[in-house]
Amino acid sequence: MNLEQLSKEQFIRDFKDTLHEEQLIKVARATPAELFTTLAKLIRRYYTDTWIDRNHKLSENKEKVAYYFSIEFLPGRMLETNLLNLGILDLVKESFEELNVDFQEVVEAEHDMALGNGGLGRLAAAFMDSLATTGYPGFGNGLRYQYGLFKQRIVDGYQVELPDSWFGSIGNVWETRKDHDIVDVKLFGDVYLQADQEGRIVPVYHNAQLLHAVPYDVPQIGFENGVINNLRLWDVEIPEAYELDYPTIEDRRRVQDITAVLYPDDSNYEGKQLRLIQEYFMTSAGLQTIVKSYLKQGLPLENIHEKVSVHINDTHPAVAPAEFMRILLDDYGLTWDAAWETTVQTMSYTNHTILSEALEKWDAELFKKVLPRVYQVILEIDHRFVSNLAKQGYDSGLIERTRIVKDNQIHMANLAIIGGHSVNGVAKLHTDLLKEDTLHDFYTLYPEKFNNKTNGIVQRRWTQIAAPELSQALDETIGKDWRKDIHQLDRLVEFANDDTVLDHFYQVKKVAKERLARYIRETTGIEVSTDAIFDVQVKRLHAYKRQLLNVLHILKLYLDLKENPDKDMVPRVFIFGAKAAPGYHFAKSVIKLINEIANVVNNDSSLQGKLKVVFLENYRVSLAELIIPAADVSEQISLASKEASGTSNMKFMMTGAITLATLDGANIEIKDEVGDDNIIIFGMDKDAVYSHYENHDYYARGIYESNPTIRRVVDSFVNGTIPNAQSEGTEIYESLITHNDEYFLLEDFSAYVAAQEKIDALYRDQKLWARMSLMNIAKSHKFTSDDTITEYAEDIWQLTKNE
Ligand SMILES: *Cc1c(COP(=O)(O)O)cnc(C)c1O
């Protein structure tokens, strides 16, 4: 259906009809959830033909397609994005006004689709949007978890995790089940090889478990371009023929567990059999389908890399090269060499972290038990890799360090690198570190495989949807073209000295701050002033991200104010949002401490409202959309070298916050864009950090003992300053002093305090601050994921667009 022709009258008629058919009621009586479901169903009807057309055209034209394999996708809500991209968001908003319906309530009736933990999953979702928007044929492949990332509640200052039953009573209104694409996935059992009648060696399985992988497709709509791609999420079912194997509800539940929950571990290795099964299940199902649909085109299998790219997002789908080999060898009878050649050219891999605990390794015994045939294939890949390198004269140390199977473990990153043609990091510094350090051995073997693709964000969600007032101010300043071509934002630079424009943008930020202040009041009861600096750190709670450094500074301000209530400072509101992995004790203690510090600070009238601390529970995409446009300061203070890229740094920049940052990840590239005057950089750089590692000369206790300010702040964890958190305070104290402060907070503390003082001084000059803010918005276009994905499509996947 051509939506350009859609009129308000027509839409209202369609909407009323749909509501009547679906819910048997009239608009005035419908709940927001009913209105949401109805609206979603109606727009599904609007786009379905386009979606079907897209799939037809791609296979008719035999276009090359990239498949993005990711164990996480974190799109958040889809309604506004879908309406915006279909070009009817304003029309729908206006129609609802006519119908006397609060559109925002309808939006909020949609549950966040939270099939991801944080940055990695959000990136995968951004890439889906950008693939459709740029028009490249790129499909997602993941798992249809029944429960997404846990819902966080704060009780007595502690994090409590609740299941995120995101299907709720509504279900996922966007998905379509595709029964005709169901495939079988085999697990467990015994496998041996036997010659068949033609003398071909084939595997024979005994007692294997056979499951159905059932695909659910979620449309990915491009921005105003008529393109709809596909995100395929797999669910598990027991095939009818095998029902007798699962006589009890318990038996069935064990199978359903495969897609029951997203692992809530962020960048931590989770060593459970179930996790391995999850990873294999989605990888196998995806790859089998890809081969089947390729073969329908009647092309030779050994050339599959000419029409198909498979991207491995982090190591979770890194079994892909081995599984692809298994399919090509066992199911379709290709020779090893032909299969290997096309496999390597098909596969590519993104590394997301240098934290060694996140580079997945599987116990070989476990792997062999769950995936006996894939294990054999991996042994063969490993064997050939080793003997090849030995033949070429490489030294045994290098071979040992790079091989896949060693010390009774399977090294998944090694498999992804050896079995693919491309390895990329996610920001310049991160890629350099991979080459120099983490993956240096591989870099000497295959320098041509390495490349950088700095992360990006979907600018449409963070401006047009999350920041409507800012978007309108942009329209009024530089015209509306930026909505279609984000690089137009650069034209804002021309207005850097225009007082009226600067004031306009300053007021726009105020409006966003007022919206957040209202939410804070309603959800926490805390009153915050929008004249204060909104200083925000929202991201997963992790030691390397150093929320604790932020806490140390807050404690310093608190102690200063207690000593001198007249201290001259711009009022500050420190805002946190963060989930901690349920088993991550340290991270949970930091949350508890933040909440107890908030209790002390927010209830101390002697501070005269100069200091407020707010922890907003259940940080997620939809909450990010509320918080980020309201930030004055964006805290990006990870220890240099640890944050591969970061993406919230880009979202903050795009909505006019000033970045307070270490030289880590994409912060460096943000600095390069805005210039030194429009960002506050502090602390050790990567070389300083690495120098401590080399020389083993970091001594936290020494800093603590020689610096009275630091001592006073650190002591406040254990001297009763923060009541109700004795054990957490002790734990943190010990992590800093006894366990030598793994992330070098104490060394960076003084520079951080100085940087914060600089923020205070700059903020007093409203015009200067507004200009910095404007420059950040102007330069943020560099970080559009539309461009990032274009680089993936052109450099790694070699896709073309046939419009
Ligand atoms: C962008 C985003 C992240 C990533 O934040 P970083 O600060 O880059 O780690 C995590 N969670 C949500 C909900 C996000 O929107």
Side-chain angles (χ1 to χ4, degrees), residues 276-319:
L276 177 60
I277 295 175
Q278 286 190 329
E279 296 180 354
Y280 178 71
F281 187 78
M282 67 158 227
T283 307
S284 177
L287 291 177
Q288 290 185 55
T289 319
I290 288 167
V291 173
K292 276 190 191 151
S293 80
Y294 167 78
L295 286 174
K296 281 197 198 125
Q297 300 180 13
L299 299 168
L301 193 51
E302 57 271 26
N303 293 345
I304 189 167
H305 58 275
E306 291 174 6
K307 297 294 174 193
V308 168
S309 278
V310 171
H311 200 80
I312 300 167
N313 189 36
D314 214 0
T315 52
H316 320 115
V319 70

Side-chain angles (χ1 to χ4, degrees), residues 15-16 19 23-35 38 99-101 105:
F15 184 76
K16 284 181 170 165
L19 187 65
Q23 317 280 359
L24 310 172
I25 46 168
K26 295 219 160 71
V27 174
R29 294 208 46 227
T31 65
E34 287 167 331
L35 294 168
T38 304
L99 288 168
N100 251 327
V101 173
E105 269 186 18

Side-chain angles (χ1 to χ4, degrees), residues 192-253:
Y192 59 90
L193 299 176
Q194 200 178 49
D196 68 4
Q197 285 104 328
E198 289 131 44
R200 249 177 13 114
I201 303 292
V202 291
V204 179
Y205 292 77
H206 273 298
N207 304 319
Q209 181 183 29
L210 190 144
L211 297 170
H212 270 166
V214 183
Y216 289 78
D217 288 355
V218 184
Q220 304 295 309
I221 301 170
F223 178 65
E224 294 186 348
N225 66 353
V227 170
I228 303 186
N229 289 336
N230 213 17
L231 166 58
R232 176 158 283 189
L233 301 177
W234 295 97
D235 206 345
V236 65
E237 281 177 17
I238 295 164
E240 225 175 275
Y242 293 82
E243 274 180 329
L244 282 174
D245 295 347
Y246 308 91
T248 69
I249 292 178
E250 264 312 297
D251 295 330
R252 285 171 172 252
R253 203 161 282 155

Side-chain angles (χ1 to χ4, degrees), residues 489-671:
L489 284 186
D490 215 291
R491 292 184 41 215
L492 276 180
V493 176
E494 296 162 30
F495 300 89
N497 293 308
D498 184 324
D499 289 358
T500 321
V501 168
L502 291 178
D503 188 59
H504 190 183
F505 279 82
Y506 195 87
Q507 297 311 326
V508 157
K509 177 65 81 181
K510 259 284 169 51
V511 176
K513 286 168 79 171
E514 272 152 20
R515 187 163 37 232
L516 179 58
R518 213 157 38 239
Y519 179 84
I520 290 172
R521 187 182 326 118
E522 283 164 10
T523 54
T524 69
I526 303 166
E527 290 287 342
V528 299
S529 161
T530 55
D531 291 331
I533 299 173
F534 278 22
D535 185 326
V536 182
Q537 189 170 21
V538 285
K539 48 185 74 245
R540 284 301 290 263
L541 203 315
H542 206 294
Y544 83 80
K545 291 177 182 279
R546 302 203 296 188
Q547 280 94 351
L548 190 53
L549 181 59
N550 193 340
V551 168
L552 292 176
H553 171 246
I554 294 170
L555 283 171
K556 177 186 181 297
L557 286 181
Y558 172 68
L559 297 172
D560 287 354
L561 281 168
K562 287 308 279 182
E563 210 170 75
N564 172 19
D566 295 328
K567 177 183 160 86
D568 180 27
M569 66 175 273
V570 182
R572 238 1 131 109
V573 181
F574 291 95
I575 297 164
F576 292 89
K579 288 179 182 174
Y584 192 174
H585 197 267
F586 168 89
K588 292 176 125 175
S589 295
V590 174
I591 290 178
K592 169 70 171 169
L593 277 167
I594 292 171
N595 283 310
E596 292 306 332
I597 293 169
N599 269 337
V600 171
V601 165
N602 298 337
N603 296 315
D604 188 335
S605 56
S606 76
L607 307 181
Q608 305 163 43
K610 285 180 186 167
L611 188 57
K612 291 278 163 94
V613 178
V614 178
F615 187 99
L616 291 174
E617 68 183 4
N618 204 26
Y619 183 58
R620 60 198 186 282
V621 176
S622 55
L623 188 54
E625 289 170 24
L626 176 69
I627 296 174
I628 290 173
D632 294 308
V633 175
S634 157
E635 298 267 359
Q636 309 298 336
I637 59 177
S638 53
L639 177 66
S641 78
K642 298 298 182 213
E643 186 74 88
S645 164
T647 48
S648 78
N649 45 4
M650 302 166 184
K651 303 167 194 167
F652 280 104
M653 175 196 195
M654 194 167 274
T655 45
I658 308 304
T659 312
L660 169 56
T662 49
L663 287 172
D664 200 12
N667 300 344
I668 296 171
E669 287 157 75
I670 291 176
K671 175 181 94 69

Side-chain angles (χ1 to χ4, degrees), residues 744-757:
F744 303 161
L745 280 69
L746 299 191
E747 177 159 339
D748 268 351
F749 179 75
S750 304
Y752 181 58
V753 169
Q756 286 285 19
E757 282 164 359

